[in-house]
């Protein structure tokens, strides 16, 4: 029989029913339940169960052991991934970022008690009945973030939870309950103990969320921004702007304000390249505005990206210039020049690689600045003229 299950929710229920049919407990948990209560759709489903990872792996066909150490396996059901985590308790957080001991013999209530905020410990069974062990529904109704238990203790265990509080402010537009907020204010410094990748990934989510401006302001109110590595100056600019921006623009702003941020956040190679280009283009465009050679070299998307960063740093909007210059570019790549390297070798006295490169760069600049047409005759004449002006020892032989 071919089963066709439609929604992610139905697939999740199938997983939960499979587990319960085999004598285990299993519930939807975390952001999925929280968001569902708030009427926010999400396909990102977490399931909590008392079945061990091995047992879960036995019951389903497609299982990836994603975080076995923490009891998490990923079940892929008809292309949709589900994170299934075994009930656990954690003990001892000597280093303020990860438990010294994880035990998998916990009850549901104990598993929920180790979670961060009351609104994140709601569980829902396959019949869509909610269970609330720690006052999450009242906080959800009041749009309030409150740690489960003593916030000083909970942030002392894992300092990332403080950043997560701001991330949920950015996503949900909730307030942070006073005692929870005061705990962040006094423990903010502990965030420096957390692995940079975890910090970066929460920041990415924060910057992708709709209420990020408010979240950044609250971060500043708590003095938390000062303890995020190489971020305070960037956050000051981001908190002050009215513009919308994404996580990459935000990190580029960090880098421009504090160049050391570049090596701190372990960006991908592509991002490092983008941020270096942004750094250089920012310096140049501050003096000359966007030029045809910028559009030619970096492309429109990167120039518009830099324009957003420039605006956050107080420069005027140059989007219209970028569009105009881009539309007018006579060529978009070196190979679009009609007079090519081979032609230079054949029809001018230049033969050395270095000289040919030099001539081509010059011809490209002439063409994109519309001082010369992209025509063989005009380009050959210009190359010949250069042959006469370049001194022998620096140029051709
Ligand atoms: P989102 O929908 O934005 O992903 P989420 O609440 O599902 O939000 P996740 O990071 O996916 O957040 O974590 C899933 C759940 O695991 C949380 O709701 C929370 O119950 C628990 N959790 C995650 N990180 C922590 C942490 N550092 N400390 C305690 N509990 C945590
Ligand atoms: Mg989640």
């Amino acid at each position: 029989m071919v089963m066709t299950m439609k929604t992610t929710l139905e697939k999740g229920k199938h997983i939960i029913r499979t587990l319960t049919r085999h004598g285990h407990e299993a519930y939807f948990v975390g952001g999925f339940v929280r968001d569902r209560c708030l009427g926010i759709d999400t396909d990102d489903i977490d399931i909590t169960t008392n079945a061990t990872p091995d047992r879960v792996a036995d019951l389903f066909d497609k299982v990836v052991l994603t975080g076995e150490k923490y009891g998490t396996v990923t079940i892929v059901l008809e292309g949709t991934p589900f994170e299934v985590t075994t009930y656990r308790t954690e003990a001892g957080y000597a280093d303020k970022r990860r438990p010294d001991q994880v035990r998998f013999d916990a009850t549901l209530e104990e598993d929920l008690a180790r979670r961060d905020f009351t609104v994140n410990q709601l569980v829902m069974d396959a019949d869509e009945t909610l269970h609330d062990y720690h006052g999450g529904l009242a906080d959800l109704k009041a749009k309030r973030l409150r740690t489960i238990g003593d916030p000083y203790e909970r942030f002392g265990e894992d300092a990332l939870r403080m950043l997560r509080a701001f991330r949920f402010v950015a996503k949900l537009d909730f307030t942070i309950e006073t005692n929870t907020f005061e705990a962040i204010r006094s423990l903010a410094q502990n965030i420096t103990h957390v692995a940079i990748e975890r910090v970066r990934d929460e920041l990415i989510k924060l910057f992708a969320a709709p209420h990020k401006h408010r979240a950044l302001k609250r971060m500043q109110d708590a003095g938390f921004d000062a303890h995020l590595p190489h971020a305070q100056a960037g956050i000051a600019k981001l908190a002050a702007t009215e513009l919308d921006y994404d996580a990459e623009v935000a990190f580029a702003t960090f880098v421009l304000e504090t160049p050391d941020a570049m090596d701190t956040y372990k960006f991908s190679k592509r991002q490092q390249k983008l941020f270096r280009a942004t750094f250089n283009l920012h310096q140049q465009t501050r003096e000359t505005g966007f030029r045809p050679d910028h559009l030619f070299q970096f492309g429109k998307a990167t120039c518009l990206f830099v324009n957003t960063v420039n605006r956050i740093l107080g420069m005027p909007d140059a989007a219209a210039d970028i569009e105009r210059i881009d539309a007018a570019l006579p060529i978009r790549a070196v190979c679009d020049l009609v007079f090519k390297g081979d032609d230079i070798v054949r029809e001018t006295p230049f033969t050395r690689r270095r000289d040919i490169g030099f001539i081509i760069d010059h011809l490209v600049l002439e063409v994109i600045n519309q001082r010369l047409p992209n025509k063989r005759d005009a380009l050959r004449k210009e190359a010949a003229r250069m042959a006469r002006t370049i001194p022998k020892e620096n140029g051709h032989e």
Side-chain angles (χ1 to χ4, degrees):
M1 189 183 85
V2 181
M3 274 198 298
T4 43
M5 288 178 280
K6 286 188 184 60
T7 63
T8 311
L9 175 63
E10 283 170 55
K11 293 182 200 174
K13 286 181 181 176
H14 171 79
I15 293 176
I16 289 177
R17 291 203 169 109
T18 305
L19 285 161
T20 52
R21 208 170 46 240
H22 286 86
H24 305 290
E25 297 174 15
Y27 299 89
F28 295 105
V29 70
F32 176 73
V33 182
R34 180 199 64 221
D35 289 356
R36 196 176 150 77
C37 291
L38 293 168
I40 306 170
D41 261 345
T42 162
D43 280 341
D44 187 1
I45 293 188
D46 290 306
I47 290 170
T48 185
T49 179
N50 64 353
T52 60
D54 283 353
R55 185 72 183 129
V56 176
D58 283 345
L59 290 173
F60 298 91
D61 291 340
K62 236 178 141 183
V63 173
V64 193
L65 299 176
T66 32
E68 232 188 330
K69 211 167 86 196
Y70 295 100
T72 305
V73 298
T74 302
I75 296 177
V76 184
L77 200 64
E78 295 184 354
T80 312
F82 293 83
E83 297 236 307
V84 180
T85 305
T86 305
Y87 295 169
R88 65 172 200 250
T89 49
E90 297 167 353
Y93 286 86
D95 62 359
K96 301 181 181 62
R97 55 185 172 163
R98 78 188 141 213
D100 305 330
Q101 253 185 34
V102 180
R103 291 177 44 193
F104 294 111
D105 56 357
T107 62
L108 174 63
E109 195 168 349
E110 286 168 339
D111 176 82
L112 298 178
R114 63 138 182 115
R115 294 171 184 269
D116 47 7
F117 302 102
T118 60
V119 296
N120 285 347
Q121 58 74 49
L122 295 166
V123 289
M124 185 177 92
D125 61 29
D127 299 327
E128 303 195 19
T129 308
L130 287 172
H131 305 272
D132 179 11
Y133 288 86
H134 302 278
L137 284 171
D139 286 328
L140 203 65
K141 213 162 153 206
K143 296 172 143 289
R144 183 168 60 205
L145 290 159
R146 189 164 57 88
T147 52
I148 301 169
D150 177 20
Y152 292 85
E153 211 172 282
R154 306 312 312 283
F155 294 142
E157 290 166 359
D158 179 2
L160 188 74
R161 291 169 186 160
M162 297 186 281
L163 179 54
R164 286 173 59 83
F166 296 113
R167 197 256 278 186
F168 292 122
V169 169
K171 173 170 173 162
L172 306 167
D173 202 20
F174 278 23
T175 56
I176 301 175
E177 177 270 330
T178 315
N179 198 25
T180 301
F181 188 78
E182 287 309 315
I184 295 177
R185 196 202 287 285
S186 47
L187 297 176
Q189 200 264 332
N190 286 358
I191 192 68
T192 54
H193 301 296
V194 177
I196 196 68
E197 292 88 342
R198 295 180 76 207
V199 170
R200 179 198 60 204
D201 292 350
E202 288 294 337
L203 282 173
I204 289 172
K205 290 182 183 168
L206 188 155
F207 289 131
H211 307 286
K212 54 186 172 240
H213 283 102
R214 231 196 99 229
L216 293 181
K217 293 230 160 79
R218 294 305 280 151
M219 223 184 232
Q220 292 177 314
D221 296 341
F224 187 81
D225 55 326
H227 300 288
L228 285 174
H230 308 303
Q232 191 173 23
I235 286 176
K237 294 287 197 254
L238 294 166
T241 187
E242 310 249 291
L243 295 169
D244 195 19
Y245 57 86
D246 62 19
E248 283 190 341
V249 166
F251 283 117
T253 305
F254 284 14
V255 170
L256 257 60
E257 287 293 290
T258 319
D260 281 347
M262 184 72 159
D263 297 322
T264 305
Y265 284 89
K266 304 197 173 165
F267 298 122
S268 68
K269 286 269 176 306
R270 182 191 61 78
Q271 287 171 327
Q272 290 182 32
K273 197 174 148 201
L274 175 65
F275 298 159
R276 261 196 301 273
T278 305
F279 192 89
N280 293 331
L281 271 174
H282 171 76
Q283 308 293 336
Q284 292 176 31
T285 53
R286 208 162 48 180
E287 285 167 16
T288 68
F290 284 90
R291 304 185 310 237
D293 59 302
H294 295 148
L295 269 299
F296 180 84
Q297 190 186 344
F298 297 101
K300 188 165 95 173
T302 298
C303 289
L304 287 171
F305 178 93
V306 175
N307 180 52
T308 305
V309 179
N310 282 352
R311 289 179 70 194
I312 289 170
L313 299 184
M315 285 166 59
D317 185 9
D321 294 342
I322 292 171
E323 294 290 347
R324 181 177 44 74
I325 296 168
D326 183 69
L329 271 188
I331 56 172
R332 295 194 175 266
V334 174
C335 63
D336 294 340
L337 266 189
V338 295
F339 194 67
K340 298 178 192 296
D342 287 351
D343 302 317
I344 294 174
V345 173
R346 233 182 356 255
E347 299 179 36
T348 74
F350 295 102
T351 51
R352 286 205 317 217
R353 215 179 169 57
R354 202 184 67 194
D355 298 335
I356 294 168
F358 179 76
I359 297 289
I360 288 179
D361 287 350
H362 172 75
L363 294 180
V364 163
L365 269 181
E366 294 300 292
V367 169
I368 61 177
N369 283 300
Q370 312 203 12
R371 291 188 288 260
L372 281 177
N374 185 20
K375 295 264 162 54
R376 281 187 53 81
D377 255 11
L379 299 178
R380 185 172 42 75
K381 262 189 209 144
E382 178 64 8
R385 189 189 66 78
M386 288 184 77
R388 290 192 297 274
T389 58
I390 294 177
K392 238 187 169 125
E393 58 272 25
N394 305 335
H396 58 97
E397 50 241 6

